[in-house]
């Protein structure tokens, strides 16, 4: 079996050492050959393109959700299997795949795992694996990156400060949502989240999605008008199942369009997308072949 392993040189353990040596040793012991590379973030897409051209049995990506999103975009509908080594801050996709978080356990799970087809989602042709948000959260992500760039804050400190700044401003957006076969709806909301499959887990637990192959987008719309209501919704998202928050409406769709007359920030898998309105969302059923532990159902 031939694998190509691409590790983000600035992600988690990689930024503090050289996990490539450990990964090579683990793969060699498992009888798997292939190249293991440490790659700087701005070179990852080029490395992935070369990997797709080489056609290995699998491409293993080590990094956070943003890095995994790049790999998924390169491998969607390619027939090449994607393996994930969770090396980022949150690793939501790896959690939903039930990949262990230590390198030896993660490699072992991939080596002994099985291949499963899962869905991908996209907005204006840009793929995402977890979710895409419009409004308050995306604004906080944009502020977070500015704080990290301009003031050198760590990711968690920058996100906390950015979230507080975005919450203090608390502005609702006027948007139009068009779902095929359904009347156009005018919305006035601070937050919309589009999920690749349903988010029904508990925020403080590991996995948030029970399935990644339902073939549905889930549209979550926050119906809050004041700071207190927003705080209550945030608290409920921590103390209840995510889909049980009172002010968060949810519905399954396969495609839809959002329009706005004013600029609105979008964040896909925790990274800002600079895309003009309208935003066309669609699900791509079974577009990704991913390696999952045998225990995953």
């Amino acid at each position: 079996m031939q694998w190509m392993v691409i590790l983000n040189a600035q992600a988690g353990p990689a930024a503090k050492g050289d996990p490539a040596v450990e990964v090579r040793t683990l793969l060699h012991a498992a009888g798997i050959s292939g190249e293991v590379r440490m790659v700087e973030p701005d070179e990852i897409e080029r490395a992935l393109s070369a990997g797709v051209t080489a056609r290995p049995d699998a491409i293993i990506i080590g990094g956070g959700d943003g890095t995994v999103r790049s790999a998924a975009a390169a491998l969607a509908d390619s027939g090449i299997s994607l393996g994930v080594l969770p090396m980022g801050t949150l690793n939501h996709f790896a959690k939903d795949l039930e990949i262990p978080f230590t390198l030896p356990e993660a490699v072992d799970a991939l080596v002994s795992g099985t291949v499963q087809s899962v869905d991908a989602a996209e907005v204006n042709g840009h793929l995402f694996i977890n979710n895409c948000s419009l409004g308050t959260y995306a604004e906080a992500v944009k502020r977070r990156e500015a704080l990290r760039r301009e003031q050198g804050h760590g990711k968690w400190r920058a996100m906390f400060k950015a979230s507080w700044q975005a919450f203090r401003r608390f502005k609702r957006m006027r948007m139009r949502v068009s779902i095929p076969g359904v009347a156009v709806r005018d919305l006035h909301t601070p937050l919309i989240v589009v999920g690749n499959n349903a988010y029904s887990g508990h925020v403080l637990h590991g996995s948030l999605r029970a399935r990644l192959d339902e073939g549905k987008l889930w549209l979550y719309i926050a119906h809050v008008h004041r700071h207190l209501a927003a705080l209550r919704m945030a608290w409920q998202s921590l103390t209840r199942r995510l889909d049980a928050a009172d002010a968060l409406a949810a519905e399954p769709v396969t495609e839809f369009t959002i329009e706005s007359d004013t600029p609105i920030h979008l964040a896909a898998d925790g990274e800002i997308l600079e895309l003009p309105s309208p935003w066309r969302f669609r699900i791509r059923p079974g577009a990704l072949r991913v390696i999952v532990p045998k225990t995953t159902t």
Side-chain angles (χ1 to χ4, degrees), residues 60-73:
I60 312 302
I61 192 76
D65 286 309
T67 305
V68 176
R69 180 172 72 90
S70 295

Side-chain angles (χ1 to χ4, degrees), residues 30-241:
I32 294 178
S33 61
E35 183 181 8
V36 180
R37 297 179 57 192
M38 296 279 286
V39 179
E40 293 297 326
D42 59 356
E43 293 293 323
I44 286 177
E45 289 190 7
R46 184 180 302 177
L48 286 165
S49 179
V52 171
T53 300
R55 305 295 301 178
D57 297 299
I59 292 179
I60 312 302
I61 192 76
D65 286 309
T67 305
V68 176
R69 180 172 72 90
S70 295
L75 297 183
D77 296 320
S78 71
I80 301 173
S81 298
L82 169 66
V84 178
L85 294 175
M87 295 170 58
T89 304
L90 296 175
N91 305 297
H92 287 304
F93 193 63
K95 289 177 182 176
D96 290 335
L97 294 177
E98 299 184 9
I99 304 294
F101 270 46
T102 68
L103 268 180
E105 290 179 318
V107 171
D108 181 66
L110 297 179
V111 168
S112 62
T114 60
V115 176
Q116 174 180 319
S117 293
V118 301
D119 305 332
E122 67 175 42
V123 53
N124 290 9
H126 294 263
L127 183 140
F128 58 94
I129 51 175
N130 297 322
N131 59 71
C132 181
S133 63
L134 298 86
T136 302
Y137 176 75
E139 182 180 345
V141 171
K142 191 173 182 69
R143 288 170 176 266
R144 178 196 72 190
E145 293 309 300
L147 287 169
R148 297 183 70 190
R149 183 175 59 253
E150 297 167 6
Q151 300 183 25
H153 288 342
K155 193 169 186 178
W156 282 110
R157 181 186 177 193
M159 191 63 194
F160 179 82
K161 188 174 181 179
S163 297
W164 174 246
Q165 291 173 349
F167 174 74
R168 287 181 63 189
R169 292 187 63 186
F170 189 75
K171 59 181 181 181
R172 291 187 293 160
M173 309 165 294
R174 294 191 181 276
M175 292 179 286
R176 293 173 298 280
V177 175
S178 304
I179 302 174
V182 179
V184 176
R185 281 180 279 174
D186 291 317
L187 299 176
H188 197 197
T189 175
L191 175 68
I192 289 179
V193 177
V194 182
N196 174 22
N197 288 275
Y199 278 77
S200 57
H202 192 290
V203 170
L204 298 179
H205 292 171
S207 176
L208 293 175
R209 291 173 290 178
R211 291 183 58 181
L212 297 176
D213 59 354
E214 185 187 15
K216 298 286 186 181
L217 297 171
W218 277 77
L219 177 60
Y220 297 92
I221 302 171
H223 293 290
V224 293
H225 307 285
R226 295 179 176 83
H227 287 81
L228 185 60
L231 279 174
R232 184 170 185 267
M233 185 183 72
W235 175 252
Q236 288 180 346
S237 71
L238 293 173
T239 58
R240 303 181 181 182
R241 285 164 51 104

